[in-house]
Amino acid sequence: MTASTASSPPVALHEPWEDLSRQRQAATMGMWIFLLSEMLLFGGLFAAYTVCRSLNPMGFRAGSHEADLVYGTINTVLLITSSLTMTLAVRAAPARLHKVALGFLAATVALGLAFLAVKGMEYHEDLTKSLFPGPGFKLPQQGAEQFFSFYWVMTGLHMLHMTAGVIAVSRLIVVGRRYPEWLETSPAVEATGLYWSLVDVIWMILYVLIYLPGRGG
Amino acid sequence: MSRKRDKGDGHSPFWRGPLLAWGALLLLLAVNVALAYLLGGDNPLIGVGIAVAMVLVVAIIFMDLRRSGPINRSLAGAGLVWLGIMFALMFADYLTRS
């Protein structure tokens, strides 16, 4: 009933719950409350972006035109696919398809790492093109520097969330490989899946705000 | 999420719904990029509207809100309501400034 010791396998059921069903309800509810706070955190950034963009539409358009659509789109596809693999892992685990679940979890981590690698390449290119706000910034248009301030803050914050997600999913793999029954019953699998999907959702909005304005012109 | 959906609905395998959602998301992404080029990407409502549709697909299928209990649905709805209040108050200010 209580937390596991170093010598015993981890138990899925913890105090104060009497059964796994109640514990699972509490875990998903707790995760949803956490996701609410995340929605409002990024929502505030989106609101600030919207105001600044309405004040400097041409500068934001010029800034967005410099953002690399190819990198952004590749990363969007990677994240959408990782959400698929995470969802399949969440559904395979309680069905006692342990190896399938572990395979999907491993695919999720691989796709998450690929996202971070592509983002790192994009950051390197941005820095090479002097797109970091400050002295020597490339674009002269008013508001373009502000656009890239939002770009670095919002994508950087999102990268931190991605990194945390990769660590959380990796933990599921490490523990789940040793204790398949834990993977089958623990609410942590479902809660981690919810978190991963939210990171995906935030990126979908970021993608539209950062990469799509100013295209085709 | 319900534990009864583990091997699907009893009729369809567990991977069918998520796989269809994945296809729909890629399709919506392609439409969004195409419209951004066709329309110049200057109308944020179209891009954001399609992104919101993608978010709903993720929430309903991947996050399994369609099978969640009323508490989790209420929490997800509360998030949207509070975001809506924040944006409504913000637009009420900035869009009415002379």
Side-chain angles (χ1 to χ4, degrees):
Chain A
M1 292 285 279
T2 56
S4 60
T5 62
S7 58
S8 60
V11 290
L13 183 62
H14 295 272
E15 290 181 352
W17 291 281
E18 293 182 353
D19 61 70
L20 276 169
S21 171
R22 284 295 178 93
Q23 182 177 323
R24 182 166 289 103
Q25 285 177 12
T28 54
M29 190 187 84
M31 180 51 74
W32 269 108
I33 291 172
F34 172 69
L35 298 187
L36 269 180
S37 70
E38 292 283 305
M39 286 165 70
L40 291 174
L41 168 67
F42 279 93
L45 286 169
F46 296 158
Y49 169 98
T50 305
V51 170
C52 293
R53 179 173 166 179
S54 71
L55 297 175
N56 295 295
M58 296 314 291
F60 272 59
R61 183 186 166 93
S64 174
H65 200 71
E66 287 294 322
D68 197 311
L69 183 66
V70 174
Y71 281 136
T73 306
I74 289 172
N75 264 346
T76 308
V77 173
L78 286 173
L79 259 192
I80 289 172
T81 308
S82 74
S83 260
L84 170 70
T85 55
M86 188 69 210
T87 303
L88 293 177
V90 169
R91 297 189 181 194
R96 300 188 176 181
L97 302 170
H98 300 131
K99 287 187 177 176
V100 175
L102 285 170
F104 280 129
L105 289 175
T108 305
V109 169
L111 289 164
L113 290 174
F115 176 94
L116 292 173
V118 171
K119 199 71 207 149
M121 290 163 61
E122 186 181 357
Y123 277 167
H124 176 73
E125 211 164 277
D126 293 335
L127 292 172
T128 307
K129 291 194 291 186
S130 301
L131 290 174
F132 193 85
F137 183 72
K138 177 183 177 182
L139 301 173
Q141 292 91 341
Q142 186 181 0
E145 200 166 359
Q146 198 173 45
F147 170 86
F148 270 95
S149 294
F150 279 108
Y151 167 84
W152 286 99
V153 169
M154 293 196 297
T155 59
L157 190 59
H158 182 267
M159 259 187 89
L160 286 178
H161 282 77
M162 273 298 296
T163 307
V166 167
I167 293 169
V169 178
S170 300
R171 172 184 170 266
L172 295 181
I173 296 172
V174 171
V175 182
R177 280 188 65 178
R178 289 188 65 188
Y179 308 107
E181 66 281 0
W182 177 86
L183 194 68
E184 184 186 322
T185 54
S186 175
V189 180
E190 194 168 343
T192 307
L194 286 174
Y195 174 82
W196 192 274
S197 289
L198 183 87
V199 174
D200 185 16
V201 159
I202 290 167
W203 179 260
M204 287 172 180
I205 305 291
L206 277 180
Y207 175 78
V208 170
L209 299 182
I210 289 171
Y211 296 97
L212 295 190
R215 299 293 162 187
Chain B
M1 290 189 223
S2 164
R3 305 279 293 172
K4 291 178 182 175
R5 49 78 175 122
D6 297 339
K7 288 186 175 173
D9 299 331
H11 304 290
S12 59
F14 72 90
W15 46 263
R16 182 172 293 171
L19 201 62
L20 289 173
W22 177 73
L25 288 170
L26 292 183
L27 184 66
L28 286 168
L29 174 67
V31 168
N32 216 352
V33 174
L35 285 178
Y37 274 99
L38 288 174
L39 305 175
D42 287 330
N43 189 342
L45 289 181
I46 294 174
V48 172
I50 294 174
V52 168
M54 295 172 75
V55 167
L56 288 176
V57 171
V58 172
I60 293 169
I61 307 294
F62 288 169
M63 301 172 94
D64 218 6
L65 266 184
R66 64 180 172 154
R67 291 182 230 244
S68 292
I71 294 176
N72 290 348
R73 287 187 188 188
S74 302
L75 286 169
L80 293 179
V81 168
W82 283 110
L83 277 178
I85 290 171
M86 181 168 69
F87 275 89
L89 291 175
M90 182 192 74
F91 284 127
D93 176 9
Y94 280 94
L95 294 182
T96 54
R97 290 187 183 186
S98 57

